[in-house]
Amino acid sequence: MAAALENELEIENEDYYSLLNVRREASQEELKSSYRRLCMLYHPDKHRDPELKRQAEQLFNLVHRAYEVLSDPQSRAIYDIFGKKGLEVEGWEIVERKRTPAEIREEYERLQRERDERRLQQRTNPKGTISVGIDATDLFDHYEEDFEEMPGGGFPHIEINRMHISQSIEAPLTTTDTAVLSGSLTTHNGNGGGNINLCLRRVTSTRGWGELEFGAGDIRGPLFGMKVFRNVTARCFVTAQCGMQFSSRGVRPSASTMMARHLDQNTMGYLQWRWGSESAMTTSIVRDTKTSHFTLALQLGVPHSYLMMSYQYKFQDEDQTKVKGSVKTGFFGTVVEYGAERKISRHSVLSATVSIGVPQGVSLKIRLNRASQTYLFPIHLTDQILPSAVFYATVGPLVVYLAVQKLIITPYVRAQKEQELEKQRVDSASDIAKKKNEAESALVLMQESVRRIIEAEESKMGLIILNAWYGKFVTDNSQKQERAKVIDVTVPLQCLVKDSKLILTEASKAGLPGFYDPCVGEEKSLKLLYQFRGVLHQVLSGDTEALRIPKQCEYSKASEI
């Protein structure tokens, strides 16, 4: 579920590209050609009536201002990044000049707080994980006679048998040195422990870095370790680390090294050797593309050796949905996993994974990533492979997610969107009224030019705009209670016809002369009925879609874009 109110049109800022009807990538020649044509249409000297002359002068000055900004490379760069506001400020302050001193001070304080929060987030880079293990085996593995005699009405017993909490923060000391402080707490079936670690990292060059780690815990005792990273070539890097764990049983040394290499643009190969309490040699190949992620790994070691293969398919949708599956087999048994991952908000990703293994049984893992925080809920369902457990683990999360989305999330987002739209309409009411008056004035100025264009096009059976509407069209039966919000734009579109050709760029059409936004914040379309060489055609295009009706094209039937 993507964010609902992103990239909305700012009413107070004219879209200079839309006003000149050019692409954002338009060259200087394209800008100059469009500017000259608009100047000929709206030049004040063409009108003798004082009121029309005044209106033409306003529109002419607006077109001139747009060309003045876009024809200057520096002003155009500022406008592309900051919009019209960026051209009206000096120094670092980006504040509307029409605001009162109190409003300016309040806006400055708000921006200062947001900047401080971003700086703190960037400097500390906090990361955290909360894992809550749930034992739900009583749902499927109970014995009927014992279950009926259980106190509490025979309800299954579900308990939290494991919890783990970890947190880390970074503290930059110099441009090359960083300190990382982390800690964790773990409890399992009434027994728990914790540890704290301090890591000092130094970037030695553009090709490598090294770090020292110091740790202490209430179970294993003090820890000392070292780690080194080095880019060997542009396509290959190596990491190596060693450590010593001090405990009542003596010193436990450990060491590991890993070499990675880019096999091609999307594929990485890894070779890792680990020595210590769980010695092993692991090799893996990881291929990551725009639509899929594939991993193949083989480990030989004591006590675990296994072969693992996983595949993940990425749907190309706005919610970044992913479906994944993996198979892992070794001396410990065989595990099959499958699941899905979906982006539910701008900063949150929710995933569910079903794990079926021998002798592990059936488990369901719920994972929620919120920015840099991770919340895990591993739910152990059975120690055996039962079809009922597999079914409920697969269908249950999907049904719950769809129900929550339909009954809670969707209505909430819709209500929030309506509130934002209503607030936006109220805030922009005066601007829309001004735009409407400007559009009506432009229509009056266009009448003579449109008459000449229609006469020229009729003489050569060219392009005649019969009817054109812009705004929100209601065609779905489920939206009959809504009222269409459209404006007639036949005249301004006919005014843009040149040599039997009408070209509209992908910019928002609300900025064109004679146009304005009839439904702020809502999706808009342009519906067009035109005649070309005696044949009627109908076109429907989105607000930001390019519309091109080229010269010498004949259509045998209505078409939609």
Side-chain angles (χ1 to χ4, degrees):
M1 183 175 51
L5 293 175
E6 293 184 352
N7 300 324
E8 292 292 342
L9 178 65
E10 292 186 7
I11 301 301
E12 64 273 18
N13 292 337
E14 292 90 352
D15 186 343
Y16 288 157
Y17 290 100
S18 180
L19 182 65
L20 296 179
N21 192 29
V22 294
R23 302 172 297 114
R24 297 190 71 87
E25 303 82 11
S27 64
Q28 291 295 329
E29 289 299 323
E30 291 174 317
L31 288 171
K32 186 180 296 184
S33 175
S34 179
Y35 171 65
R36 287 177 175 175
R37 183 168 182 270
L38 292 175
C39 285
M40 292 175 63
L41 290 173
Y42 307 126
H43 201 285
D45 294 343
K46 291 188 175 184
H47 304 276
R48 295 183 178 180
D49 183 86
E51 181 62 22
L52 292 180
K53 191 177 186 70
R54 184 186 63 82
Q55 295 173 356
E57 186 176 354
Q58 292 178 353
L59 190 56
F60 181 83
N61 290 337
L62 188 59
V63 172
H64 177 71
R65 172 59 177 166
Y67 177 73
E68 187 179 48
V69 171
L70 298 184
S71 61
D72 180 68
Q74 184 176 2
S75 299
R76 184 176 181 177
I78 296 175
Y79 176 78
D80 288 343
I81 299 174
F82 299 107
K84 185 181 176 183
K85 292 181 182 180
L87 302 170
E88 299 176 349
V89 298
E90 297 178 0
W92 294 97
E93 300 174 348
I94 304 181
V95 181
E96 293 181 89
R97 297 179 183 271
K98 64 182 180 181
R99 295 188 178 183
T100 64
E103 291 175 331
I104 294 176
R105 184 169 57 253
E106 182 180 352
E107 178 72 8
Y108 174 79
E109 292 175 352
R110 184 185 66 83
L111 294 175
Q112 183 69 25
R113 288 195 301 270
E114 292 181 356
R115 184 174 60 181
D116 292 341
E117 290 175 0
R118 287 194 299 268
R119 285 181 176 178
L120 179 62
Q121 180 81 10
Q122 294 171 354
R123 290 182 64 85
T124 59
N125 191 24
K127 298 178 182 178
T129 301
I130 297 178
S131 177
V132 180
I134 302 174
D135 184 359
T137 56
D138 207 27
L139 289 171
F140 302 96
D141 290 343
H142 59 266
Y143 292 98
E144 294 295 336
E145 58 273 13
D146 295 339
F147 185 70
E148 294 175 355
E149 297 176 0
M150 287 179 58
F155 288 101
H157 180 63
I158 300 176
E159 64 176 359
I160 296 176
N161 61 355
R162 181 192 296 268
M163 290 190 67
H164 174 79
I165 301 174
S166 63
Q167 184 74 33
S168 68
I169 57 173
E170 296 183 1
L173 304 178
T174 65
T175 56
T176 58
D177 298 331
T178 304
V180 181
L181 181 64
S182 61
S184 65
L185 293 172
T186 303
T187 176
H188 184 208
N189 292 331
N191 298 319
N195 62 74
I196 186 170
N197 291 71
L198 175 63
C199 177
L200 300 176
R201 182 181 306 153
R202 164 166 286 189
V203 179
T204 55
S205 67
T206 57
R207 301 182 61 183
W209 50 264
E211 64 181 27
L212 296 176
E213 181 181 6
F214 305 92
D218 57 356
I219 298 178
R220 296 187 177 181
L223 168 69
F224 172 76
M226 299 177 59
K227 186 175 182 179
V228 177
F229 171 88
R230 182 73 175 178
N231 275 316
V232 180
T233 65
R235 300 170 59 89
C236 179
F237 67 86
V238 175
T239 63
Q241 65 180 42
C242 62
M244 290 185 293
Q245 182 80 56
F246 299 90
S247 66
S248 58
R249 298 181 180 180
V251 179
R252 294 184 177 181
S254 63
S256 68
T257 182
M258 182 188 69
M259 182 178 69
R261 180 177 175 81
H262 288 272
L263 303 180
D264 60 35
Q265 184 179 2
N266 300 309
T267 308
M268 289 285 296
Y270 299 90
L271 181 62
Q272 182 180 20
W273 172 78
R274 186 173 64 251
W275 173 77
S277 57
E278 296 183 357
S279 300
M281 176 72 75
T282 306
T283 181
S284 59
I285 297 177
V286 179
R287 180 170 178 80
D288 191 7
T289 65
K290 186 178 181 180
T291 59
S292 64
H293 182 92
F294 175 77
T295 302
L296 178 64
L298 173 64
Q299 175 174 302
L300 300 176
V302 179
H304 296 302
S305 294
Y306 64 83
L307 174 65
M308 187 270 288
M309 180 176 63
S310 70
Y311 179 80
Q312 184 179 92
Y313 180 78
K314 308 173 186 177
F315 289 92
Q316 301 304 305
D317 59 357
E318 60 181 7
D319 294 325
Q320 301 178 12
T321 305
K322 302 176 183 178
V323 176
K324 53 187 176 181
S326 66
V327 178
K328 188 176 182 180
T329 182
F331 294 155
F332 57 84
T334 301
V335 178
V336 176
E337 291 186 346
Y338 58 89
E341 179 181 297
R342 189 178 181 88
K343 185 177 181 180
I344 60 175
S345 71
R346 184 177 180 182
H347 302 291
S348 301
V349 177
L350 180 66
S351 65
T353 304
V354 179
S355 178
I356 306 171
V358 178
Q360 291 87 352
V362 181
S363 298
L364 172 65
K365 302 174 185 177
I366 307 294
R367 182 188 186 101
L368 174 64
N369 289 91
R370 173 69 177 173
S372 59
Q373 303 296 314
T374 302
Y375 303 90
L376 294 172
F377 301 93
I379 306 173
H380 186 51
L381 299 177
T382 66
D383 293 324
Q384 309 172 46
I385 300 180
L386 300 179
S388 58
V390 176
F391 174 79
Y392 285 110
T394 304
V395 178
L398 181 61
V399 172
V400 171
Y401 172 77
L402 294 177
V404 171
Q405 184 184 40
K406 186 174 183 180
L407 300 177
I408 299 177
I409 297 178
T410 301
Y412 174 78
V413 171
R414 187 184 299 116
Q416 290 292 107
K417 182 178 180 179
E418 288 298 328
Q419 292 179 6
E420 292 289 338
L421 286 177
E422 186 61 31
K423 183 177 181 299
Q424 195 174 2
R425 294 188 190 104
V426 173
D427 294 341
S428 60
S430 60
D431 293 321
I432 291 299
K434 179 182 176 182
K435 291 286 186 181
K436 183 177 180 181
N437 293 333
E438 292 177 355
E440 292 174 350
S441 301
L443 292 180
V444 176
L445 299 174
M446 293 175 183
Q447 295 296 332
E448 183 62 26
S449 297
V450 168
R451 185 185 62 79
R452 293 196 303 268
I453 293 173
I454 291 178
E455 290 178 354
E457 293 296 323
E458 285 180 342
S459 65
K460 55 185 177 183
M461 294 187 66
L463 178 61
I464 305 295
I465 307 298
L466 301 178
N467 286 296
W469 302 272
Y470 176 70
K472 179 181 179 181
F473 300 90
V474 179
T475 57
D476 190 355
N477 293 332
S478 63
Q479 299 179 340
K480 282 187 175 180
Q481 69 278 8
E482 297 187 19
R483 182 171 57 87
K485 304 171 185 177
V486 297
I487 58 175
D488 189 338
V489 293
T490 307
V491 171
L493 280 186
Q494 185 68 64
C495 196
L496 293 177
V497 174
K498 183 180 180 182
D499 297 331
S500 300
K501 183 186 299 183
L502 171 64
I503 298 179
L504 297 179
T505 63
E506 295 182 357
S508 174
K509 300 173 182 64
L512 290 169
F515 281 66
Y516 67 93
D517 193 344
C519 45
V520 178
E522 300 183 58
E523 185 177 352
K524 293 169 282 292
S525 301
L526 177 64
K527 192 173 183 179
L528 182 64
L529 180 65
Y530 66 94
Q531 178 178 302
F532 185 74
R533 296 193 181 279
V535 182
L536 293 179
H537 309 276
Q538 184 176 357
V539 174
L540 179 66
S541 68
D543 183 32
T544 58
E545 293 179 358
L547 175 63
R548 290 178 173 85
I549 303 177
K551 184 179 178 182
Q552 297 179 349
C553 285
E554 291 193 14
Y555 299 90
S556 59
K557 59 181 180 179
S559 60
E560 290 190 0
I561 297 181

Short mmCIF file of all heavy atoms in Angstrom, two decimals, residues 265-268 286-294 312 314:
data_model
loop_
_atom_site.label_atom_id
_atom_site.label_comp_id
_atom_site.label_asym_id
_atom_site.label_seq_id
_atom_site.Cartn_x
_atom_site.Cartn_y
_atom_site.Cartn_z
N GLN A 265 27.32 -8.42 -13.57
CA GLN A 265 26.69 -7.22 -13.04
C GLN A 265 25.71 -7.53 -11.91
O GLN A 265 25.56 -6.75 -10.98
CB GLN A 265 25.97 -6.48 -14.17
CG GLN A 265 25.35 -5.15 -13.73
CD GLN A 265 24.68 -4.44 -14.89
OE1 GLN A 265 24.64 -4.94 -16.00
NE2 GLN A 265 24.15 -3.26 -14.62
N ASN A 266 25.05 -8.69 -11.95
CA ASN A 266 24.02 -9.02 -10.97
C ASN A 266 24.36 -10.21 -10.10
O ASN A 266 23.53 -10.61 -9.27
CB ASN A 266 22.68 -9.30 -11.69
CG ASN A 266 22.19 -8.13 -12.49
OD1 ASN A 266 22.11 -7.02 -11.98
ND2 ASN A 266 21.86 -8.36 -13.76
N THR A 267 25.53 -10.78 -10.24
CA THR A 267 25.86 -12.02 -9.53
C THR A 267 27.11 -11.84 -8.69
O THR A 267 28.10 -11.29 -9.15
CB THR A 267 26.07 -13.18 -10.52
OG1 THR A 267 24.95 -13.27 -11.40
CG2 THR A 267 26.22 -14.50 -9.78
N MET A 268 27.03 -12.33 -7.44
CA MET A 268 28.16 -12.32 -6.52
C MET A 268 28.48 -13.75 -6.09
O MET A 268 27.58 -14.57 -5.88
CB MET A 268 27.85 -11.50 -5.28
CG MET A 268 27.78 -10.00 -5.51
SD MET A 268 29.39 -9.24 -5.73
CE MET A 268 30.12 -9.52 -4.12
N VAL A 286 25.04 -15.66 -5.23
CA VAL A 286 23.84 -14.82 -5.06
C VAL A 286 23.64 -14.00 -6.32
O VAL A 286 24.54 -13.28 -6.75
CB VAL A 286 23.98 -13.88 -3.84
CG1 VAL A 286 22.74 -13.01 -3.70
CG2 VAL A 286 24.22 -14.69 -2.57
N ARG A 287 22.47 -14.15 -6.90
CA ARG A 287 22.13 -13.38 -8.10
C ARG A 287 20.90 -12.52 -7.79
O ARG A 287 19.84 -13.03 -7.43
CB ARG A 287 21.83 -14.30 -9.28
CG ARG A 287 21.48 -13.54 -10.56
CD ARG A 287 21.43 -14.45 -11.77
NE ARG A 287 21.05 -13.73 -12.99
CZ ARG A 287 21.88 -13.00 -13.71
NH1 ARG A 287 23.13 -12.88 -13.35
NH2 ARG A 287 21.46 -12.39 -14.81
N ASP A 288 21.06 -11.22 -7.94
CA ASP A 288 20.00 -10.27 -7.61
C ASP A 288 19.72 -9.39 -8.83
O ASP A 288 20.59 -8.65 -9.28
CB ASP A 288 20.41 -9.40 -6.42
CG ASP A 288 19.25 -8.58 -5.88
OD1 ASP A 288 18.12 -8.78 -6.34
OD2 ASP A 288 19.48 -7.75 -4.98
N THR A 289 18.50 -9.49 -9.37
CA THR A 289 18.08 -8.68 -10.50
C THR A 289 16.87 -7.84 -10.10
O THR A 289 16.42 -7.87 -8.96
CB THR A 289 17.74 -9.56 -11.72
OG1 THR A 289 16.59 -10.37 -11.40
CG2 THR A 289 18.90 -10.47 -12.07
N LYS A 290 16.36 -7.11 -11.07
CA LYS A 290 15.21 -6.24 -10.79
C LYS A 290 13.97 -7.03 -10.44
O LYS A 290 13.12 -6.57 -9.68
CB LYS A 290 14.95 -5.35 -12.00
CG LYS A 290 13.89 -4.29 -11.79
CD LYS A 290 13.74 -3.42 -13.02
CE LYS A 290 12.67 -2.34 -12.79
NZ LYS A 290 12.52 -1.48 -13.99
N THR A 291 13.85 -8.25 -10.95
CA THR A 291 12.63 -9.03 -10.75
C THR A 291 12.83 -10.27 -9.89
O THR A 291 11.84 -10.91 -9.53
CB THR A 291 12.06 -9.48 -12.11
OG1 THR A 291 13.05 -10.27 -12.80
CG2 THR A 291 11.69 -8.27 -12.95
N SER A 292 14.07 -10.63 -9.55
CA SER A 292 14.26 -11.87 -8.79
C SER A 292 15.54 -11.81 -7.95
O SER A 292 16.41 -10.98 -8.18
CB SER A 292 14.34 -13.07 -9.74
OG SER A 292 15.47 -12.97 -10.59
N HIS A 293 15.59 -12.71 -6.97
CA HIS A 293 16.77 -12.87 -6.12
C HIS A 293 16.97 -14.37 -5.91
O HIS A 293 16.07 -15.07 -5.43
CB HIS A 293 16.56 -12.17 -4.77
CG HIS A 293 17.76 -12.25 -3.87
ND1 HIS A 293 18.74 -11.29 -3.84
CD2 HIS A 293 18.13 -13.20 -2.98
CE1 HIS A 293 19.67 -11.63 -2.96
NE2 HIS A 293 19.31 -12.79 -2.43
N PHE A 294 18.16 -14.88 -6.28
CA PHE A 294 18.43 -16.31 -6.20
C PHE A 294 19.70 -16.54 -5.39
O PHE A 294 20.69 -15.83 -5.54
CB PHE A 294 18.61 -16.89 -7.61
CG PHE A 294 19.01 -18.34 -7.62
CD1 PHE A 294 18.09 -19.34 -7.37
CD2 PHE A 294 20.33 -18.70 -7.86
CE1 PHE A 294 18.46 -20.68 -7.38
CE2 PHE A 294 20.72 -20.03 -7.87
CZ PHE A 294 19.78 -21.03 -7.62
N GLN A 312 13.49 -15.77 -4.92
CA GLN A 312 12.56 -14.72 -4.55
C GLN A 312 12.16 -13.96 -5.81
O GLN A 312 13.01 -13.52 -6.58
CB GLN A 312 13.22 -13.77 -3.55
CG GLN A 312 12.30 -12.67 -3.03
CD GLN A 312 13.02 -11.78 -2.03
OE1 GLN A 312 13.60 -10.75 -2.42
NE2 GLN A 312 13.01 -12.15 -0.77
N LYS A 314 10.16 -10.70 -7.39
CA LYS A 314 9.75 -9.35 -7.02
C LYS A 314 8.72 -8.84 -8.03
O LYS A 314 9.02 -8.71 -9.21
CB LYS A 314 10.96 -8.40 -7.01
CG LYS A 314 12.13 -8.91 -6.18
CD LYS A 314 13.34 -8.01 -6.36
CE LYS A 314 14.56 -8.57 -5.66
NZ LYS A 314 15.77 -7.74 -5.90
#
